[in-house]
Amino acid sequence: PAEAAAAAARNGEDPLTHNFMVKALCKAVTQDGGTMSIAQAEKFFRADKGRDFRNWNESFFLRRGGVLYKPPVGWRRFGLNVEGKYDDGNDAWMGMDGEPGEWAVAYHGTGFRTVPKILRDGFKVGSGQGARYSIDTRTGKLVGDGVFVTPNLAVGECYANGQEDGGSEQNDPAVVMGNYTFYF
């Protein structure tokens, strides 16, 4: 996929397509020692739930799940196939209209090679605990070990590129392909 993305960028084509991400996922799984067919990878994504924010020139706050967040201006979002998997299948958690049960937008930055592990085993508390001794702004209490997410994309980006995750076994840097940097 890296070579294909670089070639597409050189030809003025957009390499950030649904098909490209499916192939990139297959490659990540293969690099982790596993196998995944295109058909299997397709099941993880929802092309109709993706959105392109790369040409947005305005950054503003939105609220989801009662928490403010900024849309990922300058980024391309790929939708995951998660409908029917949480909340006993009623999908209230995916709402965007302020109704009860709605989840906040949360970014989790991680290295490229960690994505297959998360898909296979789910989130696991690892050795990279960059926020361990931070103060939770909601409660004023010290944060302990955990899997951390944030409504701030810039914070997730720092973890994805290894800048904030001292000592983690999962601090692989982001993947650069052509003029694009991929964070997961």
Side-chain angles (χ1 to χ4, degrees):
E3 295 80 22
R10 282 192 302 273
N11 293 331
E13 300 170 24
D14 184 1
L16 300 181
T17 65
H18 172 78
N19 290 336
F20 174 79
M21 287 306 293
V22 167
K23 291 175 185 174
L25 176 61
C26 289
K27 182 174 182 174
V29 169
T30 301
Q31 287 177 342
D32 188 47
T35 59
M36 178 176 277
S37 69
I38 296 291
Q40 290 170 315
E42 281 282 351
K43 293 178 184 177
F44 284 102
F45 294 103
R46 286 278 311 264
D48 62 322
K49 297 296 183 183
R51 189 165 185 184
D52 196 341
F53 296 92
R54 290 176 293 166
N55 293 321
W56 286 32
N57 58 11
E58 183 178 327
S59 185
F60 50 88
F61 286 98
L62 298 173
R63 185 176 300 275
R64 184 163 167 215
V67 177
L68 288 173
Y69 76 98
K70 282 188 175 184
V73 172
W75 293 72
R76 170 76 166 89
R77 178 182 71 202
F78 292 90
L80 298 177
N81 185 13
V82 294
E83 289 183 288
K85 296 186 179 185
Y86 305 99
D87 285 359
D88 296 323
N90 71 12
D91 295 329
W93 69 279
M94 292 185 352
M96 296 182 68
D97 52 10
E99 295 297 319
E102 201 175 271
W103 287 11
V105 169
Y107 301 105
H108 175 76
T110 194
F112 181 72
R113 289 191 185 101
T114 305
V115 173
K117 294 173 179 71
I118 293 171
L119 292 174
R120 183 183 62 237
D121 304 325
F123 284 111
K124 302 281 185 188
V125 175
S127 62
Q129 296 292 315
R132 176 186 297 150
Y133 300 115
S134 300
I135 300 296
D136 185 324
T137 59
R138 298 163 301 159
T139 65
K141 295 180 180 178
L142 200 61
V143 174
D145 290 349
V147 174
F148 299 105
V149 296
T150 176
N152 185 335
L153 182 60
V155 172
E157 181 180 351
C158 287
Y159 279 89
N161 68 25
Q163 291 177 351
E164 290 292 328
D165 200 359
S168 174
E169 70 279 1
Q170 300 175 1
N171 63 355
D172 295 324
V175 175
V176 177
M177 297 182 196
N179 293 329
Y180 298 97
T181 302
F182 293 85
Y183 295 102
F184 297 90

